Amino acid sequence: MDSTSILLGCKSVGNTAFAQRNYGKAIRTYTQGLTLLPSNIDLLSNRAAAYLNYGLYSLALHDAETVLSTDPTHEKCLYRKVKALWGLSRYHKAHQFTEKFKIPSLADKAAITLSQSLGHIKASTLMSLPHQARHEIADYRGPIEIVPIPGKGRGIVATENIPVGSLIICSKAFCIVFDQDVQDFKNFHLRDKSVELEHTDALGGLIYDKLQLDPSLKSELLKLYTGQQESQSSDDITLTIRNIIDYNGFTSKRDDSLISMGNPNFAGLWILPSYLNHSCLDNNANYAVYGDILVVRAVKNIPKGDEILISYWQATVPGRREVMKARNFECGCRACKMEDEEDPLIKAEIAQLLQQIRESLVSPSSDLPATTNRNFDRVQRIVKLRKKKYGDTNMALLTPEVEMVGAALSERHDTKGCIFILENMHKVCKNNGFVLSSVYQAMNLSSHWRQMNKVEEWIEWAEQFRKNVIAACGDFDDGLIALKIDPECSAIQAQTDR
């Protein structure tokens, strides 16, 4: 077979693999053809496209620039060079390039990504992104630095005062897998297609393949925590990748909707966010995942020098202390201290009260008003037991049982009862990982106080609602769009009437 036939064969096989999303095979096939003719423009251009889809931006840039050195007007490689520059976070250079070469299809997008790289990223833009997809949103890094943290290894601290609501990090995944990616991995790499594969398994396999194709990526990846001392570091790269994912990866299942913003299953690794440390309740920042984009926003004013903390597991997650222990760290937040210090008798009584509520909801009596009254008495007792010392750490108020009692009170228009529950829930939720919940709590409280013709309280909670929206989304007006809040709600009307 002559070289021309081999080149055509490599191009055909590579294109088929590309169309099937088997980018690793496509890259290797194009590379095989390029060993015969290193300057073949079609193979270089196609390989650049495959590199882009695999997140290998340096290699994509090299191939695109190689083509452009021979054919400066090659339309596809002009486009692919810009995409590679975006992937490498070189937004200013990408913007200059689109202006210089008059690429109309990319000019507006290049200007937008340049603006985003300066932190101008709307919450409404992020929340409108498709969940199981990769997006062209710019990376942003606020006034932060990675430093040693006593007792924690490394962490991220503020280098300037960071106001509440400020965007701190917007980061594109180093590697991420969605449901389709897991299926693709099974199809391309496993002989037995019936094998049950976790998302983290597919993630590890894809990271391994990326490192084989571009070993230069190891330098930033291997800086992440592996759970081992430096002297114990393994020479087995697959084990190292597994450990890195276990200790640094972000994952979601369908029931983790608060953190993942409703995402279905995914597993991903983000480099910079991996340095963020944990607090169950006393976190000063919140994170959310939109497709392959992870965003961190300040939910409190963060003074210069303070460590940025997020919640890996919120204080309501069962078994989180055991998970932390297995990972060799402790939290020490107010919720954890409460669990360690609280009188066991109080814990037992609260557990019993929640159990009684749960049983009454599973097997309701014919006298629903009486059942609701008894359950409300139980909620009041839960509040009283912790009011003096743990009023703002009372996780029992965030259980489904208490929420259902509130819903029953709302159905019978018991405004005072709703206010009691919502105000006590809000004490726990504001300015931490439950900030989104606090938005709706404040909105409903404003409405309830308005129904009672209590103007001062109505306006007070409307103002708290405004603060909570800013903490969650960074900007009030954009936050209303992002959270799809009815502009006719009473909390907004209070802002208008003032």
Side-chain angles (χ1 to χ4, degrees), residues 157-178:
V157 300
T159 57
E160 299 175 7
N161 293 333
I162 300 177
V164 60
S166 297
L167 185 66
I168 300 174
I169 294 172
C170 182
S171 180
K172 193 171 181 67
F174 175 84
C175 190
I176 190 168
V177 295
F178 302 115

Side-chain angles (χ1 to χ4, degrees), residues 18-274:
F18 186 96
Q20 295 172 340
R21 294 163 44 96
N22 191 349
Y23 303 118
K25 181 178 178 180
I27 289 166
R28 290 178 172 88
T29 305
Y30 295 140
T31 301
Q32 182 181 354
L34 286 164
T35 59
L36 296 174
L37 191 60
S39 59
N40 184 275
I41 286 180
D42 286 345
L43 291 178
L44 284 167
S45 176
N46 289 0
R47 190 171 68 172
Y51 280 144
L52 286 172
N53 280 277
Y54 223 30
L56 301 173
Y57 301 111
S58 292
L59 299 178
L61 180 63
H62 179 270
D63 278 0
E65 288 185 331
T66 300
V67 172
L68 293 172
S69 67
T70 302
D71 182 0
T73 61
H74 192 283
E75 187 174 353
K76 289 183 177 179
C77 280
L78 288 171
Y79 178 82
R80 284 163 190 165
K81 177 173 179 176
V82 174
K83 297 255 291 186
L85 289 170
W86 287 341
L88 294 168
S89 302
R90 301 177 190 174
Y91 304 108
H92 186 69
K93 190 169 183 178
H95 185 247
Q96 288 179 322
F97 187 78
T98 58
E99 289 192 326
K100 178 180 178 181
F101 285 90
K102 311 294 183 186
I103 311 174
S105 62
L106 292 177
D108 290 345
K109 180 64 178 176
I112 291 170
T113 54
L114 179 60
S115 176
Q116 290 174 342
S117 71
L118 301 175
H120 307 306
I121 306 174
K122 292 183 176 181
S124 59
T125 298
L126 294 165
M127 291 188 182
S128 66
L129 295 173
H131 294 313
Q132 293 232 337
R134 293 162 177 83
H135 304 294
E136 290 176 348
I137 300 291
D139 280 351
Y140 169 73
R141 175 173 176 159
I144 55 175
E145 64 178 343
I146 300 169
V147 299
I149 303 290
K152 297 182 182 180
R154 292 163 295 178
I156 294 178
V157 300
T159 57
E160 299 175 7
N161 293 333
I162 300 177
V164 60
S166 297
L167 185 66
I168 300 174
I169 294 172
C170 182
S171 180
K172 193 171 181 67
F174 175 84
C175 190
I176 190 168
V177 295
F178 302 115
D179 293 338
Q180 183 59 51
D181 299 307
V182 176
Q183 188 59 48
D184 288 343
F185 188 86
K186 288 171 67 173
N187 292 338
F188 303 149
H189 299 283
L190 300 183
R191 292 182 179 178
D192 184 356
K193 312 303 180 188
S194 65
V195 171
E196 287 295 325
L197 196 67
E198 294 289 335
H199 284 60
T200 50
D201 296 328
L203 178 63
L206 289 177
I207 290 175
Y208 178 83
D209 201 35
K210 287 181 68 170
L211 296 183
Q212 296 302 303
L213 292 166
D214 187 359
S216 69
L217 295 175
K218 289 182 182 179
S219 59
E220 63 174 353
L221 183 71
L222 298 183
K223 292 177 184 177
L224 298 179
Y225 181 62
T226 64
Q228 298 176 308
Q229 299 295 331
E230 197 167 323
S231 59
Q232 300 174 318
S233 295
S234 172
D235 292 330
D236 183 348
I237 187 63
T238 57
L239 176 60
T240 299
I241 291 171
R242 167 55 61 187
N243 288 339
I244 286 173
I245 292 172
D246 285 346
Y247 284 97
N248 302 277
F250 290 79
T251 62
S252 173
K253 294 187 177 179
R254 298 182 196 280
D255 57 350
D256 295 334
S257 58
L258 182 63
I259 290 176
S260 67
M261 300 307 299
N263 272 353
N265 303 330
F266 73 83
L269 184 68
W270 286 261
I271 300 297
L272 180 59
S274 293

Side-chain angles (χ1 to χ4, degrees), residues 289-329:
V289 176
Y290 310 94
D292 65 333
I293 306 298
L294 189 149
V295 174
V296 180
R297 191 179 297 278
V299 295
K300 300 176 183 176
N301 290 317
I302 304 175
K304 178 181 178 180
D306 275 16
E307 185 181 5
I308 313 295
L309 298 171
I310 62 172
S311 289
Y312 302 166
W313 311 279
Q314 293 179 323
T316 53
V317 175
R320 74 185 195 287
R321 303 290 297 279
E322 289 76 11
V323 176
M324 285 187 269
K325 185 177 180 180
R327 297 191 179 201
N328 302 317
F329 77 92

